Amino acid sequence: MRVSAIIPCLDAEEYIGVAIRSLLNQTCPPDEIIVADNGSTDASRAIARSFGGSVRLIDVAERGASRARLAGAAKAEGEALLFCDADDLLAPETLAALTQALERGEGDIACAPWYRFERGAGGAWHWAPPSCAPRYAGQDDLSAWLGGWYHPPCSVLWSRAAYDRSGGWDPAIGVNDDGDVMMRGLARGNVLARTGVGAGFYRRLPEGGSLSAAGRTPTGLASRLAVLGKVMDALDESGRIPAYRNALGAALAQIGADIPVGSADLHATCAALILRLGGDPRPLTGRAAPP
């Protein structure tokens, strides 16, 4: 199985070389590495070129990581796709384990263990446990993802068929874009295989801010609601919304609790989705607006 690794990049000179090296150092390296550059003005492009024929550099004029990933996927020749950020790392045996899981037919998408990679007070980087909700007994993959359990893209290998089935990355989604593409795929029947071998390291950059904080901004809240609406659309295609009514309702309730009082448009969107599930939006009161 040919594997294509796709790295969106914008001014990532501090990390891009290490990210590429971690892919080349795999016990089973990808057949191609595509760096989809979004217009870097630092040394990122030169670093990518320094790897010679091991790396294919493409230009993506439209800004946004999802647009870069889309462009990379369109150029990729592999039967399997790995999407890594420009600052991600993989343990050496990760890609071999993921590829073997797909080749054995264990699922349409394979995922490996993952960890946070954080900078300590002294400046040194160290690994930390995943910072996501736990997965509970009896939950299927989509219910778990709706509840906040997830795997970041660097720990996930997609078969091309599974990626196409999902509909691909959506540049309109600003927050939880990886959850969007994954949950749409799961809603359309993709099966997730989990391997206990290898590890993806998802770097948390101090200057990048908190993802949870971004999800509570008006733009972030709108994105989160849009993601759930699209998941419901995908489930509607096969008449499976009733099977996920509780998980979807809980996810909407969480978003509703994050919407500030007075945000009429966001409340209306959330209420409409709750009504679509057959729920009662009247308890939707939201949080107090920040002072």
Side-chain angles (χ1 to χ4, degrees), residues 12-283:
E13 63 180 6
E14 184 176 355
Y15 308 108
I16 184 68
V18 179
I20 292 171
R21 181 59 61 193
S22 80
L23 289 170
L24 293 174
N25 285 345
Q26 292 294 298
T27 57
C28 181
D31 295 278
E32 64 175 351
I33 299 173
I34 298 174
V35 173
D37 189 73
N38 250 170
S40 294
T41 57
D42 65 0
S44 296
R45 296 169 61 83
I47 292 169
R49 288 196 188 99
S50 74
F51 288 90
S54 299
V55 174
R56 183 180 175 192
L57 179 66
I58 65 172
D59 294 313
V60 184
E62 293 180 291
R63 289 291 180 93
S66 287
R67 293 190 185 280
R69 295 182 187 112
L70 282 170
K75 297 282 188 182
E77 298 176 356
E79 293 90 31
L81 304 174
L82 177 76
F83 297 97
C84 289
D85 289 344
D87 54 4
D88 289 336
L89 300 170
L90 272 71
E93 68 276 21
T94 307
L95 197 50
L98 293 172
T99 303
Q100 289 166 12
L102 291 186
E103 289 178 335
R104 289 193 296 261
E106 295 174 10
D108 309 291
I109 311 167
C111 62
W114 71 278
Y115 302 92
R116 293 283 183 183
F117 201 47
E118 302 179 347
R119 201 194 313 257
W125 290 92
H126 62 92
W127 69 274
S131 54
C132 66
R135 179 169 182 159
Y136 298 104
Q139 281 186 316
D140 67 6
D141 298 321
L142 179 54
S143 294
W145 224 284
L146 285 165
W149 176 85
Y150 66 91
H151 278 252
C154 64
S155 64
V156 176
L157 183 66
W158 295 75
S159 67
R160 173 71 75 165
Y163 174 76
D164 290 344
R165 194 177 296 123
S166 76
W169 296 89
D170 185 351
I173 301 299
V175 171
N176 199 23
D177 55 350
D178 54 328
D180 170 57
V181 67
M182 175 60 76
M183 289 192 289
R184 276 187 282 119
L186 293 174
R188 292 186 173 125
N190 284 336
V191 175
L192 191 64
R194 287 184 283 164
T195 173
V197 178
F201 293 90
Y202 186 60
R203 198 184 300 260
R204 190 204 298 265
L205 300 177
E207 62 271 24
S210 165
L211 185 61
S212 61
R216 289 163 65 94
T217 65
T219 299
L221 289 162
S223 286
R224 290 165 64 193
L225 289 169
V227 168
L228 290 186
K230 291 168 65 184
V231 172
M232 291 169 67
D233 290 342
L235 288 169
D236 241 350
E237 295 167 6
S238 56
R240 294 196 298 146
I241 280 186
Y244 292 94
R245 183 170 284 119
N246 290 341
L248 287 164
L252 283 168
Q254 179 60 62
I255 298 174
D258 287 342
I259 299 175
V261 172
S263 299
D265 290 345
L266 290 170
H267 278 294
T269 301
C270 191
L273 291 174
I274 293 172
L275 284 171
R276 184 176 171 185
L277 290 177
D280 182 359
R282 286 178 296 179

